[in-house]
Short mmCIF file of all heavy atoms in Angstrom, two decimals:
data_model
loop_
_atom_site.label_atom_id
_atom_site.label_comp_id
_atom_site.label_asym_id
_atom_site.label_seq_id
_atom_site.Cartn_x
_atom_site.Cartn_y
_atom_site.Cartn_z
N TRP V 414 -58.65 -115.05 -137.29
CA TRP V 414 -59.72 -114.16 -136.82
C TRP V 414 -60.00 -114.35 -135.33
O TRP V 414 -60.55 -113.45 -134.68
CB TRP V 414 -61.01 -114.44 -137.60
CG TRP V 414 -61.50 -115.86 -137.45
CD1 TRP V 414 -61.21 -116.91 -138.25
CD2 TRP V 414 -62.33 -116.38 -136.40
NE1 TRP V 414 -61.80 -118.06 -137.79
CE2 TRP V 414 -62.50 -117.76 -136.64
CE3 TRP V 414 -62.94 -115.83 -135.28
CZ2 TRP V 414 -63.26 -118.59 -135.83
CZ3 TRP V 414 -63.71 -116.65 -134.45
CH2 TRP V 414 -63.85 -118.01 -134.73
N LEU V 415 -59.62 -115.51 -134.79
CA LEU V 415 -59.92 -115.79 -133.40
C LEU V 415 -59.14 -114.88 -132.45
O LEU V 415 -59.66 -114.49 -131.39
CB LEU V 415 -59.59 -117.27 -133.10
CG LEU V 415 -59.85 -117.77 -131.67
CD1 LEU V 415 -61.34 -117.67 -131.35
CD2 LEU V 415 -59.37 -119.22 -131.53
N MET V 416 -57.92 -114.52 -132.82
CA MET V 416 -57.08 -113.75 -131.92
C MET V 416 -57.64 -112.36 -131.61
O MET V 416 -57.68 -111.95 -130.44
CB MET V 416 -55.66 -113.65 -132.47
CG MET V 416 -54.66 -113.03 -131.50
SD MET V 416 -54.49 -113.95 -129.94
CE MET V 416 -53.64 -115.42 -130.51
N PRO V 417 -58.10 -111.57 -132.62
CA PRO V 417 -58.69 -110.26 -132.28
C PRO V 417 -59.89 -110.37 -131.35
O PRO V 417 -60.08 -109.52 -130.47
CB PRO V 417 -59.09 -109.69 -133.65
CG PRO V 417 -58.28 -110.42 -134.64
CD PRO V 417 -58.02 -111.78 -134.07
N ILE V 418 -60.70 -111.43 -131.53
CA ILE V 418 -61.86 -111.60 -130.66
C ILE V 418 -61.43 -111.88 -129.23
O ILE V 418 -61.96 -111.31 -128.27
CB ILE V 418 -62.76 -112.75 -131.18
CG1 ILE V 418 -63.23 -112.45 -132.60
CG2 ILE V 418 -63.93 -112.97 -130.25
CD1 ILE V 418 -64.05 -111.18 -132.73
N LEU V 419 -60.44 -112.76 -129.07
CA LEU V 419 -59.94 -113.07 -127.72
C LEU V 419 -59.32 -111.84 -127.06
O LEU V 419 -59.46 -111.63 -125.86
CB LEU V 419 -58.92 -114.21 -127.79
CG LEU V 419 -59.49 -115.60 -128.10
CD1 LEU V 419 -58.37 -116.61 -128.30
CD2 LEU V 419 -60.44 -116.06 -127.00
N ILE V 420 -58.62 -111.01 -127.87
CA ILE V 420 -58.03 -109.79 -127.32
C ILE V 420 -59.14 -108.84 -126.87
O ILE V 420 -59.05 -108.23 -125.80
CB ILE V 420 -57.13 -109.10 -128.35
CG1 ILE V 420 -55.91 -109.98 -128.68
CG2 ILE V 420 -56.66 -107.74 -127.84
CD1 ILE V 420 -55.04 -109.43 -129.78
N ALA V 421 -60.19 -108.72 -127.67
CA ALA V 421 -61.31 -107.84 -127.30
C ALA V 421 -61.94 -108.30 -125.99
O ALA V 421 -62.26 -107.48 -125.12
CB ALA V 421 -62.35 -107.83 -128.42
N ILE V 422 -62.11 -109.62 -125.83
CA ILE V 422 -62.66 -110.15 -124.59
C ILE V 422 -61.72 -109.83 -123.43
O ILE V 422 -62.16 -109.45 -122.33
CB ILE V 422 -62.88 -111.68 -124.70
CG1 ILE V 422 -63.97 -111.98 -125.74
CG2 ILE V 422 -63.26 -112.28 -123.36
CD1 ILE V 422 -64.13 -113.46 -126.05
N SER V 423 -60.43 -109.96 -123.68
CA SER V 423 -59.42 -109.66 -122.65
C SER V 423 -59.52 -108.21 -122.19
O SER V 423 -59.50 -107.91 -121.00
CB SER V 423 -58.02 -109.95 -123.20
OG SER V 423 -57.04 -109.51 -122.32
N VAL V 424 -59.63 -107.31 -123.15
CA VAL V 424 -59.73 -105.88 -122.81
C VAL V 424 -61.01 -105.60 -122.03
O VAL V 424 -61.02 -104.80 -121.09
CB VAL V 424 -59.66 -105.04 -124.10
CG1 VAL V 424 -59.90 -103.57 -123.79
CG2 VAL V 424 -58.32 -105.21 -124.78
N CYS V 425 -62.09 -106.28 -122.38
CA CYS V 425 -63.35 -106.10 -121.65
C CYS V 425 -63.19 -106.52 -120.19
O CYS V 425 -63.84 -105.95 -119.30
CB CYS V 425 -64.47 -106.91 -122.31
SG CYS V 425 -65.06 -106.22 -123.87
N GLY V 426 -62.33 -107.50 -119.93
CA GLY V 426 -62.08 -107.91 -118.56
C GLY V 426 -61.45 -106.80 -117.74
O GLY V 426 -61.81 -106.59 -116.58
N THR V 427 -60.52 -106.07 -118.35
CA THR V 427 -59.92 -104.94 -117.65
C THR V 427 -60.95 -103.85 -117.40
O THR V 427 -60.99 -103.25 -116.32
CB THR V 427 -58.74 -104.38 -118.47
OG1 THR V 427 -57.81 -105.43 -118.73
CG2 THR V 427 -58.03 -103.26 -117.73
N MET V 428 -61.80 -103.59 -118.38
CA MET V 428 -62.85 -102.60 -118.20
C MET V 428 -63.80 -103.00 -117.08
O MET V 428 -64.17 -102.18 -116.23
CB MET V 428 -63.63 -102.44 -119.51
CG MET V 428 -62.83 -101.83 -120.65
SD MET V 428 -63.61 -102.13 -122.26
CE MET V 428 -65.26 -101.51 -122.00
N ASN V 429 -64.20 -104.26 -117.07
CA ASN V 429 -65.14 -104.75 -116.06
C ASN V 429 -64.55 -104.64 -114.66
O ASN V 429 -65.20 -104.15 -113.73
CB ASN V 429 -65.50 -106.21 -116.36
CG ASN V 429 -66.50 -106.77 -115.38
OD1 ASN V 429 -67.65 -106.36 -115.32
ND2 ASN V 429 -66.07 -107.75 -114.59
#
Side-chain angles (χ1 to χ4, degrees):
W414 60 268
L415 181 62
M416 188 60 71
I418 301 300
L419 289 173
I420 295 175
I422 294 173
S423 172
V424 174
C425 287
T427 305
M428 293 162 54
N429 182 66

